[in-house]
Amino acid sequence: MFNMRIVTGTISHETNVLSTINTDLEEFRKRRLYYGDELFEHFDGTRTPAGGIIEGCRQNGIELIPTVFASATPSGTITAEAFDRLLGDILDGIRDAGDVDAAVLHLHGAGVSEEYPDIEGKVLSEVRRIVGSKPLAATFDLHANYTEAMVENADLLIGYDTYPHVDGYERGLEAVNLTRKMLEGTFKPTKAFTQPPMLPALQVQFTGRYPMRTLIEEAHRMEAMQGVETITVAAGFPWSDIPEAGMSFIVTTDDDQELADSLAEELHDMAWSLRREFLVKPTPVREALRHVKSAEEGPIVLADIGDNPGGGAPEDGTVVLKTMLEEGLKGGVVAVIWDPAAVSEAVKAGVGETVRLSLGGHTDELHGEPLSVEGRVKNVTDGKFINEGPMGTGSESDMGATAVIEIGGNDVIVTTKRVQPLDLQVYRSQGIDPTAKRFIVVKSSVHYRAAHEPIAKKVLELDTPGLTSPRLAGFGFKNIRRPIFPLDIGMLGITELKSMDDE
């Protein structure tokens, strides 16, 4: 073994260009913006991509030099000022690190700034200018929209295998281990990159069930073949609205381009043959609530998939809560409604007091109107907790000042920060036992499943309006390549429709 030094950095944002929430530097500060050795303080020992990179370097006796870790909750387009500042800080950090042997970054893959529709391609190209021919690897989200610029500038691109994302730690380890093999000269990466014309909605990207599971399982079978090092299956993120948005496959072999090309084409063809299985059929809200009324056991988990902050929605939608109150449904918990003003009113009133609020619906007109409600303040906290579930285990979540307000016999968790309810500590940190609830409303598309499925008697995906609705044809995308399935399903010719019926 020889002494090795690896530099790392992160800019992670899943950009929903339709969101009205401006993603400036403050949005990164609200979630995570760390410099230098702060990376170790926040991620060492956690089951996260950064934790995996840290542990991978430790296991291999590699010195890790952190630069910047910047992550913002999914929202609107990143301002030019914010992106330029963060990229500049990473590049300065790499230069200041001096003589390094390689770079291993953690990115997202669906970031869009005012100036660059492909921020990851820009990051990788600029890092490549500095490190030259030295190994450059990066880990990515399963929702990454891969581009030629990303593939051309990185030696290794390794995406999550899971959604919910429970394997980030393993992907960080893998990136470091393969980088070491490159440095030792025992691995020469050769890549094949292909994109079927498919734009799946988030719900069918769930890797725990068919058809996404089928693609992941086939990729794993291929990874066991001689000469294959790693395969990335990416489902993509529609709301970035760039030409490359959608499904991608990257096959990386050890100096065997023909094998990489062949396997990538097989995955491409398999995905296309399954395209109809990627259509989404959520449950109407009233139908789901009436199912809760008739259910003998709970909790029933109801996913408000149209207002998922993890996809850039505001998380202040009121459609489900309004319908719950109209149906007279009691014994549930809503996680969560983002409304800083409402939290302020609750804190001012105090625990045990009654408050009258204009709750939610303040961001846009897509997610329901503000609700005039009266409720009792049950709890007030700082909103901080440590994740105990399978996603980001050991890392801290911060909902900001948080109030639990009982409205119509239901607990409503109201926050000052937008945080997707991924972990059962969202409830327990607020004095709520989720297993004792009749039903749980979660503003999430798929991530909730990791922690919620083990306690759920049933899971229903609600057909709610909003920026993360699976009804993709209604968003008026401007830049996505066309034709693409399912946006252009109505444009298919007679021959294509016949071939679909014959499959």
Side-chain angles (χ1 to χ4, degrees):
M1 180 187 297
F2 57 91
N3 293 326
M4 290 183 279
R5 303 176 76 237
I6 286 178
V7 66
T8 190
T10 290
I11 301 177
S12 179
H13 188 251
E14 190 172 70
T15 306
N16 188 321
V17 300
L18 305 178
S19 171
T20 59
I21 299 173
N22 195 39
T23 308
D24 55 14
L25 203 59
E26 184 59 27
E27 286 299 308
F28 287 91
R29 292 193 183 102
K30 286 178 183 177
R31 191 180 196 188
R32 291 189 176 96
L33 181 55
Y34 308 135
Y35 286 86
D37 288 348
E38 289 180 325
L39 183 82
F40 300 116
E41 176 185 345
H42 291 279
F43 291 110
D44 195 3
T46 65
R47 302 288 296 183
T48 61
I53 292 172
I54 292 169
E55 182 60 25
C57 286
R58 179 181 290 122
Q59 291 179 5
N60 286 285
I62 297 170
E63 179 185 357
L64 180 65
I65 303 100
T67 58
V68 178
F69 186 99
S71 174
T73 298
S75 46
T77 302
I78 305 168
T79 65
E81 179 183 11
F83 177 67
D84 290 347
R85 167 70 180 277
L86 296 173
L87 176 58
D89 288 347
I90 285 179
L91 299 180
D92 287 344
I94 295 174
R95 294 186 190 98
D96 292 345
D99 186 22
V100 298
D101 297 288
V104 177
L105 310 179
H106 170 57
L107 305 174
H108 185 284
V112 178
S113 78
E114 292 173 331
E115 188 174 359
Y116 301 104
D118 170 22
I119 68 165
E120 289 82 7
K122 178 64 175 176
V123 171
L124 291 168
S125 65
E126 292 300 318
V127 173
R128 175 60 74 195
R129 290 177 189 273
I130 299 175
V131 302
S133 61
K134 295 175 181 177
L136 171 54
T139 59
F140 293 88
D141 197 282
L142 181 132
H143 308 302
N145 297 318
Y146 289 98
T147 68
E148 291 289 350
M150 293 160 65
V151 175
E152 289 174 1
N153 283 288
D155 297 292
L156 273 176
L157 303 97
I158 300 175
Y160 300 156
D161 288 340
T162 59
Y163 182 31
H165 308 324
V166 296
D167 66 325
Y169 174 82
E170 286 78 9
R171 302 290 72 77
L173 280 175
E174 181 183 12
V176 173
N177 289 335
L178 290 179
T179 297
R180 175 177 174 172
K181 291 178 67 175
M182 283 191 283
L183 288 169
E184 293 176 336
T186 58
F187 169 41
K188 180 182 178 182
T190 47
K191 304 186 297 293
F193 170 47
T194 184
Q195 292 183 303
M198 295 171 60
L199 191 73
L202 292 182
Q203 291 67 47
V204 284
Q205 297 181 18
F206 174 38
T207 56
R209 68 183 176 202
Y210 176 84
M212 197 66 193
R213 181 171 62 187
T214 302
L215 295 177
I216 297 295
E217 288 175 346
E218 179 63 12
H220 288 169
R221 183 191 70 79
M222 291 176 172
E223 283 181 324
M225 297 170 60
Q226 183 71 28
V228 180
E229 289 290 348
T230 185
I231 295 177
T232 288
V233 177
F237 186 70
W239 298 279
S240 291
D241 192 19
I242 66 172
E244 297 86 353
M247 187 169 282
S248 300
F249 301 97
I250 302 173
V251 177
T252 305
T253 60
D254 183 9
D255 198 20
D256 192 336
Q257 189 64 56
E258 183 178 352
L259 177 60
D261 291 339
S262 174
L263 296 181
E265 192 62 29
E266 285 185 37
L267 289 168
H268 177 288
D269 292 347
M270 172 181 280
W272 182 246
S273 72
L274 294 172
R275 64 192 177 280
R276 286 180 298 168
E277 307 303 318
F278 281 90
L279 297 175
V280 183
K281 298 176 182 178
T283 305
V285 176
R286 287 192 189 275
E287 179 182 325
L289 294 181
R290 288 166 184 170
H291 177 86
V292 172
K293 282 185 176 181
S294 63
E296 296 182 358
E297 291 184 285
I300 308 296
V301 174
L302 307 174
D304 184 354
I305 60 179
D307 190 27
N308 171 20
E315 202 176 21
D316 70 347
T318 58
V319 172
V320 180
L321 178 57
K322 180 175 184 291
T323 313
M324 285 166 47
L325 298 176
E326 290 173 350
E327 292 286 332
L329 208 56
K330 298 181 179 181
V333 56
V334 176
V336 304
I337 291 181
W338 172 59
D339 193 331
V343 174
S344 180
E345 289 295 316
V347 171
K348 182 179 178 180
V351 174
E353 298 300 318
T354 297
V355 289
R356 292 177 177 82
L357 302 169
S358 173
L359 182 63
H362 300 300
T363 304
D364 55 42
E365 298 179 352
L366 299 175
H367 302 83
E369 298 178 349
L371 285 183
S372 295
V373 296
E374 180 176 291
R376 181 175 66 89
V377 181
K378 292 184 65 176
N379 197 26
V380 172
T381 72
D382 65 4
K384 293 181 179 180
F385 58 87
I386 301 298
N387 290 337
E388 296 183 356
M391 283 193 67
T393 313
S395 61
E396 183 181 74
S397 288
D398 182 2
M399 301 186 293
T402 297
V404 178
I405 304 173
E406 183 181 353
I407 303 172
N410 302 285
D411 291 340
V412 180
I413 303 173
V414 188
T415 67
T416 54
K417 291 185 178 181
R418 297 165 55 245
V419 176
Q420 189 177 177
L422 311 177
D423 197 282
L424 297 186
Q425 284 300 106
V426 165
Y427 314 99
R428 291 170 178 157
S429 68
Q430 306 306 307
I432 298 170
D433 178 4
T435 65
K437 290 299 179 181
R438 186 178 181 187
F439 64 98
I440 301 171
V441 177
V442 287
K443 290 180 178 288
S444 175
S445 294
V446 172
H447 279 326
Y448 70 92
R449 289 180 177 273
H452 290 77
E453 279 193 331
I455 69 167
K457 298 302 180 184
K458 189 177 184 65
V459 174
L460 294 173
E461 297 171 338
L462 306 182
D463 190 2
T464 50
L467 284 177
T468 51
S469 165
R471 300 183 183 279
L472 300 179
F475 286 106
F477 295 117
K478 298 178 180 178
N479 302 305
I480 287 171
R481 67 192 187 279
R482 310 295 288 265
I484 194 166
F485 188 89
L487 296 186
D488 300 304
I489 189 171
M491 298 169 60
L492 297 174
I494 294 176
T495 302
E496 172 65 9
L497 285 171
K498 185 177 185 303
S499 68
M500 288 173 63
D501 292 336
D502 289 343
E503 288 171 1

